[in-house]
Amino acid sequence: MIFENLSDRLQGIFKKLRGHGKLTEDDVSDAMREVRMALLEADVNFKVVKDFVKRVKERAVGQEVLDTLTAAQAVIKIVDEELTALMGGTESRLSISPNPPTVIMLVGLQGSGKTTSAGKLALMLKKQGKRPLLVADDIYRPAAIKQLEVIGEKVEVPVFSQGQEDAVAIARAAIGHSASHANDVVIIDTAGRLQIDETLMQELRDIKAAVKPHEILLVVDAMTGQEAVNVAQSFDESLGLDGVIMTKLDGDARGGAALSIKAVTGCPVKFVGMGEKLEPLEVFHPDRMASRILG
Ligand code: GDP
């Protein structure tokens, strides 16, 4: 499960700190040195770790809590707040357009879990009373179109496909289709590649220009750690992102991507995928994640 290793490490560090009663600045520095190591081992971005430790230390020393018997508790509370802030503070919601359809474009590398997440997102929206339409816009792989159709059937959401024609034309046609079929959310599953390349980015920019999505969400695999952060940075720079869907949290014991991505790229994690099964996507709650880390 996500943060398993980090959580164990931090709990050990804070247990030791609690044993001290009143704390000195050196106690805090020692503990934070260990926290720093634990975060780096969890594959959190180096600069993010550095800033985080600095902030916690400044706050802990600045609040004059060290000379009280609950000093350790106060330090842990600061860590909790700073971890929450690192992951975006509060949860970030989807922007739903007052004029339907709301258009959501899903982008990401092949294998990140994009198609699965499209199904989970559709299921979540359906549970909220929406009438989503899934759009098979990966024109390069017939298998991808088929996969979305299978997923659409499982979650009982219609899938719009037009074979391997022009991706921009398909996206446009899907919007027209949604109007005549009372679909209030259109989820476009775009093509993924093994690596970021300029041809793909140009196609995504063309789709964006044509359908003006309300949300462009990047799907990344949490298990790829800092690579996921780099991917997010590249997509944000060349396309502009509104948020991230982080998949495979169920298999990510470290959690470095979840802890770094907002701080590095400015893009909030909006949803998480926790398994291969088609269940509704889960909202990412930074405060609950921080609590999970601290145990
Ligand atoms: P795409 O190429 O980006 O469309 O990726 P797919 O949706 O085909 O997913 C790639 C693989 O990851 C499949 O085997 C999925 O079942 C799996 N997968 C997707 N999301 C999750 C998740 O949240 N947890 C786990 N464990 N596996 C996932």
Side-chain angles (χ1 to χ4, degrees):
M1 219 0 136
I2 184 150
F3 298 134
E4 212 167 84
N5 303 354
L6 180 61
S7 184
D8 285 351
R9 286 286 298 275
L10 293 188
Q11 283 179 35
I13 297 166
F14 291 136
K15 189 166 170 220
K16 214 159 63 182
L17 205 61
R18 276 204 203 89
H20 281 252
K22 293 180 184 181
L23 298 175
T24 63
E25 275 190 46
D26 281 348
D27 292 332
V28 175
S29 288
D30 287 347
M32 290 314 292
R33 196 170 302 125
E34 289 183 53
V35 168
R36 180 174 170 276
M37 283 306 297
L39 290 171
L40 288 174
E41 277 168 34
D43 198 25
V44 181
N45 173 281
F46 179 77
K47 187 168 179 306
V48 170
V49 173
K50 200 167 154 231
D51 293 347
F52 177 84
V53 166
K54 185 161 165 268
R55 266 199 314 279
V56 173
K57 266 208 281 206
E58 274 172 10
R59 282 188 60 190
V61 173
Q63 285 182 6
E64 294 175 1
V65 291
L66 299 186
D67 202 24
T68 68
L69 286 172
T70 52
Q73 213 43 50
V75 172
I76 295 165
K77 183 158 179 284
I78 293 170
V79 170
D80 188 357
E81 287 167 5
E82 290 295 336
L83 282 174
T84 305
L86 203 56
M87 291 183 281
T90 51
E91 58 263 24
S92 308
R93 305 206 161 260
L94 277 184
S95 52
I96 297 291
S97 168
N99 306 312
T102 296
V103 179
I104 303 173
M105 194 172 151
L106 293 187
V107 300
L109 295 184
Q110 203 172 308
S112 59
K114 192 162 46 57
T115 308
T116 308
S117 299
K120 291 180 176 184
L121 178 62
L123 203 52
M124 183 194 85
L125 290 165
K126 213 174 81 162
K127 287 243 155 85
Q128 294 170 358
K130 301 264 187 300
R131 291 171 49 89
L133 174 71
L134 286 163
V135 181
D137 212 10
D138 182 348
I139 55 169
Y140 304 100
R141 292 185 310 133
I145 301 172
K146 183 74 198 149
Q147 189 194 356
L148 190 67
E149 283 171 349
V150 169
I151 285 176
E153 233 167 76
K154 281 193 188 147
V155 299
E156 297 180 338
V157 167
V159 176
F160 182 87
S161 62
Q162 264 181 1
Q164 295 175 273
E165 277 178 36
D166 175 56
V168 174
I170 294 174
R172 264 210 203 94
I175 307 288
H177 179 94
S178 73
S180 54
H181 291 72
N183 296 115
D184 49 11
V185 185
V186 175
I187 303 167
I188 305 174
D189 185 24
T190 62
R193 301 271 168 90
L194 290 173
Q195 281 158 1
I196 294 172
D197 69 56
E198 190 41 38
T199 319
L200 172 67
M201 283 300 176
Q202 189 54 50
E203 178 180 299
L204 296 176
R205 281 195 294 267
D206 291 344
I207 298 172
K208 176 184 178 181
V211 301
K212 301 192 174 47
H214 302 91
E215 290 270 349
I216 302 181
L217 299 179
L218 173 73
V219 179
V220 291
D221 175 347
M223 287 167 70
T224 61
Q226 286 312 300
E227 187 48 33
V229 179
N230 296 337
V231 168
Q233 208 158 17
S234 301
F235 270 85
D236 190 39
E237 276 162 17
S238 50
L239 186 66
L241 296 175
D242 298 294
V244 170
I245 298 175
M246 195 166 278
T247 63
K248 309 187 194 181
L249 252 65
D250 50 306
D252 176 30
R254 299 203 292 169
L259 276 168
S260 316
I261 213 159
K262 172 70 167 67
V264 175
T265 67
C267 298
V269 178
K270 294 196 172 181
F271 303 102
V272 291
M274 299 271 207
E276 289 189 274
K277 250 179 73 190
L278 282 170
E279 283 168 347
L281 221 44
E282 290 186 35
V283 173
F284 181 77
H285 297 283
D287 53 344
R288 290 185 207 165
M289 282 291 164
S291 305
R292 181 180 283 194
I293 297 171
L294 292 175

